[in-house]
Amino acid sequence: MEDVSTERTPLLIAAEINTIKRQVSKVLLHNAIEIGCRLAEAKGKVPYGEWGRWLEESVSYSQRTATNLIRLFEEYGTPQPTLPDWKALAKVSYTQGLILLGVPEEERAQFIAELDLESMSTRELQKAVQERNHAAAERDRALQENTELQQALVDQKDQITKMSGKQDNLRNKVDELTLAKAKSEARAEQLGLDLQSLRQDTSAQAVNRMSNRLDEAYHKARANKVAFLYESLDRTFRELLWELKEFAKQEPESYKVYKDKLVDFLTKSLKANM
């Protein structure tokens, strides 16, 4: 007999969903996943723009509820090696399943295993998730701070290394400056000695020049005096000769006496001083 496959239409899917809803008065996670699976299937078949109306007319769901159910299917319905055995989720309600979505997928299985979900109220589970998330945030913040501290330590070590290098460079610079200072001081001392020697030499030369100038001035003054005296003597001698000639005309005898005296004076003076 040939198998006749039934086409899965939105109408058929709605009938299945309503059947599941009627089977349980309390929607458990397993049932919610089954409904979410069919809603995801129907969403791909319902014409664009008619999804909200189809939900309301066919299964009496709001778009928000449908979105939550599809999300439960996507999170719990596909095979996930990190999730516990389905027996552990058998008594988890739809609401609890939504709350547990607040736990990261990679940590959800361990978190569920540590809780007694069957005896926990919705508020207690919300508090547990909040406390877990707060602790995780504190852990992540501590890890971040530790990472930042480690990086700061590395940066500080790098800074210390750089500062050490700069310090070594400064020491070398100080040594170079100290050596340059010593050389400059030695050079300054030598220049001082050279200057002192130069001053001494200059002073001696100045004294010699001054002495020479004084000698020159003295000799020049003596020469000028001799020239003056010579000119005076020459003028006086000429006047004397002229007077003697005039005197000879009037007093020949007296002229002879003074002439002899003059000759005798000149002769003795030349012999005594020349």
Side-chain angles (χ1 to χ4, degrees):
M1 181 176 181
E2 185 179 355
D3 293 336
V4 179
S5 60
T6 304
E7 181 183 359
R8 295 187 60 76
T9 64
L11 181 61
L12 177 60
I13 295 171
E16 291 179 354
I17 292 173
N18 290 323
T19 298
I20 296 172
K21 287 173 62 179
R22 287 192 297 270
Q23 288 176 351
V24 291
S25 58
K26 179 182 179 182
V27 180
L28 299 179
L29 179 59
H30 175 72
N31 306 103
I33 292 172
E34 291 294 330
I35 294 173
C37 175
R38 287 163 175 77
L39 285 172
E41 182 184 5
K43 190 173 183 180
K45 297 178 179 295
V46 173
Y48 180 78
E50 298 183 10
W51 176 241
R53 185 167 60 85
W54 183 87
L55 287 172
E56 183 178 354
E57 293 177 355
S58 301
V59 293
S60 301
Y61 280 151
S62 66
Q63 290 195 45
R64 178 180 179 182
T65 300
T67 299
N68 287 336
L69 289 167
I70 292 174
R71 186 182 176 195
L72 288 174
F73 162 68
E74 292 173 345
E75 292 287 337
Y76 298 106
T78 57
Q80 300 179 56
T82 58
L83 284 176
D85 188 86
W86 269 108
K87 292 180 180 179
L89 300 176
K91 296 183 179 181
V92 176
S93 70
Y94 159 76
T95 302
Q96 289 176 328
L98 287 177
I99 295 172
L100 289 170
L101 292 179
V103 179
E105 179 182 343
E106 63 274 11
E107 299 180 15
R108 192 178 299 148
Q110 180 64 30
F111 183 73
I112 292 174
E114 294 174 354
L115 299 177
D116 183 7
L117 293 176
E118 188 175 357
S119 63
M120 294 182 71
S121 65
T122 299
R123 182 172 297 180
E124 289 173 339
L125 180 58
Q126 287 176 334
K127 182 179 179 182
V129 171
Q130 290 174 354
E131 290 176 350
R132 178 263 159 212
N133 290 340
H134 178 72
E138 290 294 328
R139 178 200 63 196
D140 293 341
R141 183 162 47 251
L143 290 175
Q144 180 63 28
E145 290 177 355
N146 182 63
T147 301
E148 292 175 355
L149 287 174
Q150 291 293 335
Q151 185 60 45
L153 182 60
V154 172
D155 294 341
Q156 188 176 21
K157 288 181 178 179
D158 292 340
Q159 189 68 19
I160 291 174
T161 301
K162 292 179 181 178
M163 291 297 293
S164 298
K166 290 182 179 179
Q167 189 175 15
D168 292 338
N169 292 334
L170 287 175
R171 287 198 186 99
N172 294 334
K173 192 65 176 178
V174 169
D175 293 340
E176 292 176 0
L177 291 175
T178 302
L179 181 60
K181 180 183 177 183
K183 291 182 178 179
S184 297
E185 290 176 348
R187 178 61 178 165
E189 183 178 359
Q190 183 61 44
L191 289 175
L193 295 175
D194 293 344
L195 179 60
Q196 184 177 1
S197 177
L198 180 61
R199 285 176 177 172
Q200 292 175 352
D201 293 342
T202 303
S203 298
Q205 292 174 2
V207 170
N208 290 333
R209 285 196 299 271
M210 182 63 70
S211 178
N212 293 334
R213 289 176 182 174
L214 289 175
D215 290 342
E216 291 176 1
Y218 174 75
H219 293 311
K220 187 174 182 179
R222 292 292 298 272
N224 290 336
K225 183 177 181 180
V226 170
F228 174 75
L229 292 174
Y230 172 77
E231 291 176 357
S232 298
L233 179 61
D234 181 67
R235 185 173 56 255
T236 301
F237 187 72
R238 289 177 182 277
E239 290 178 357
L240 178 60
L241 291 178
W242 186 83
E243 290 293 340
L244 285 174
K245 287 180 180 181
E246 293 296 323
F247 187 63
K249 295 177 181 179
Q250 299 175 2
E251 296 288 339
E253 293 181 1
S254 297
Y255 164 75
K256 185 177 183 307
V257 173
Y258 281 106
K259 178 182 177 182
D260 292 338
K261 286 183 177 182
L262 178 59
V263 172
D264 184 59
F265 171 76
L266 292 174
T267 301
K268 289 180 179 180
S269 296
L270 290 173
K271 288 182 179 181
N273 297 295
M274 296 300 289

